[in-house]
């Protein structure tokens, strides 16, 4: 990765506004749902244009689940999306740094938080909260970071794991805006929007459940 040496946040260079980026992403997901994906920007000539630079129109922070391949479900190609993935889309400092890089240096107009139904990490957290039996190893760290979302869902009398997934997506998006001055400033200045999406494995649809900024 490379960026300005001064580390400053500069005006977006991407061609799309947050609203236009969201429209483009939504249209790609609709093509995937309809079974009419166009598989753009995947040929050798386009690959060659990306050797010295990149200009993605979205950064997608999603769960590592093998069924949640971002470029496929949004019908994207090389250079279209800057993708960060962890189990249960759990945030740590390296994730925050990666997302801030996409805003400060790549000037991406849209941040997407992507969760999905039947999420294993959220399911494991639900089980740990209900039984008090915590997993071993670093899996425990994942569970501890997802626990606030599960507890909030339970307090709202929502006990289904998919309701907990939606709550976790919402809390992840909110945490990004609250904890990152770089992201918060970009949202406030309408250079970037942050959206939370809940993906349905059966239908292939990514539903909007949260947003910060103008779409």
């Amino acid at each position: 990765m490379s960026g300005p040496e001064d580390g400053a946040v500069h005006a977006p260079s991407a061609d799309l506004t947050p609203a236009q980026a969201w429209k483009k992403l939504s249209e790609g997901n609709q093509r995937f749902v309809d079974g009419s994906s166009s598989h753009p920007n995947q040929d050798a000539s386009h690959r060659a244009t990306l050797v010295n630079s990149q200009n993605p129109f979205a950064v997608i922070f999603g769960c590592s689940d093998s069924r949640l391949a971002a470029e496929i479900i949004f019908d994207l190609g090389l250079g279209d999306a800057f993708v960060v993935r962890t189990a249960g889309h759990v945030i740590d400092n390296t994730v925050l740094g990666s997302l801030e890089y996409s805003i400060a240096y790549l000037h991406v107009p849209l941040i997407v938080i992507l969760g999905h139904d039947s999420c294993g990490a959220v399911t494991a957290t639900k089980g740990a909260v209900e039984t008090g039996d915590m997993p071993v190893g670093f899996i425990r760290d994942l569970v501890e970071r997802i626990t606030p979302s599960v507890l909030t869902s339970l307090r709202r009398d929502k006990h289904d794991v998919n309701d907990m997934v939606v709550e976790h997506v919402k809390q992840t998006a909110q945490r990004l805006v609250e904890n990152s001055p770089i992201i918060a400033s970009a949202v406030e200045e309408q250079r970037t929007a942050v959206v939370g999406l809940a993906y349905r494995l059966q239908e292939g649809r990514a539903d909007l459940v949260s947003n910060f900024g103008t779409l």
Side-chain angles (χ1 to χ4, degrees), residues 64 86-92 120-122 124-125 134-148 168:
S64 298
T86 64
H89 53 85
V90 165
I91 295 176
D92 60 18
V122 176
T125 304
M134 292 293 288
V136 298
F138 288 100
I139 301 172
R140 180 179 183 131
D141 188 59
L142 293 175
V143 167
E144 288 176 345
R145 292 171 185 264
I146 298 172
T147 293
H168 186 47

Side-chain angles (χ1 to χ4, degrees), residues 112-180:
V112 177
I113 311 301
L114 182 62
H116 65 96
D117 53 14
S118 304
C119 177
V122 176
T123 301
T125 304
K126 179 177 182 288
V129 168
E130 291 174 345
T131 65
D133 186 14
M134 292 293 288
V136 298
F138 288 100
I139 301 172
R140 180 179 183 131
D141 188 59
L142 293 175
V143 167
E144 288 176 345
R145 292 171 185 264
I146 298 172
T147 293
S149 300
V150 171
L151 291 175
T152 298
S153 185
L154 291 174
R155 283 197 299 270
R156 294 174 177 170
D157 201 27
K158 294 184 177 180
H159 297 264
D160 185 82
V161 67
N162 293 337
D163 291 327
M164 295 174 180
V165 167
V166 170
E167 181 61 36
H168 186 47
V169 169
K170 291 178 178 179
Q171 290 202 17
T172 302
Q174 184 172 354
R175 184 180 174 192
L176 282 183
V177 176
E178 289 179 347
N179 290 7
S180 170

Side-chain angles (χ1 to χ4, degrees), residues 4 8 26-27 29 32 37-38 43 53 56 58 68 73 83 96 116 141 157 179 191 202 204 214:
S26 299
E27 289 173 347
N29 180 237
F32 175 70
S37 296
S38 61
D43 57 277
S53 65
L68 204 67
I73 68 175
V83 180
L96 277 173
H116 65 96
D141 188 59
D157 201 27
N179 290 7
R191 294 185 281 109
Q202 181 67 37
T214 303

Side-chain angles (χ1 to χ4, degrees), residues 6 65 89 103 131 182:
D6 61 4
D65 193 289
H89 53 85
I103 301 302
T131 65
I182 289 176

Side-chain angles (χ1 to χ4, degrees), residues 16-31 57-58 74 76 109-110 112 193 195 197 208 214-215:
L16 303 180
T17 66
Q20 290 170 332
W22 167 239
K23 182 175 185 292
K24 184 173 182 178
L25 198 76
S26 299
E27 289 173 347
N29 180 237
Q30 187 62 54
R31 291 194 300 272
F57 72 88
F74 293 112
L76 304 174
L110 185 69
V112 177
V195 299
L197 306 181
L208 180 69
T214 303
L215 293 180

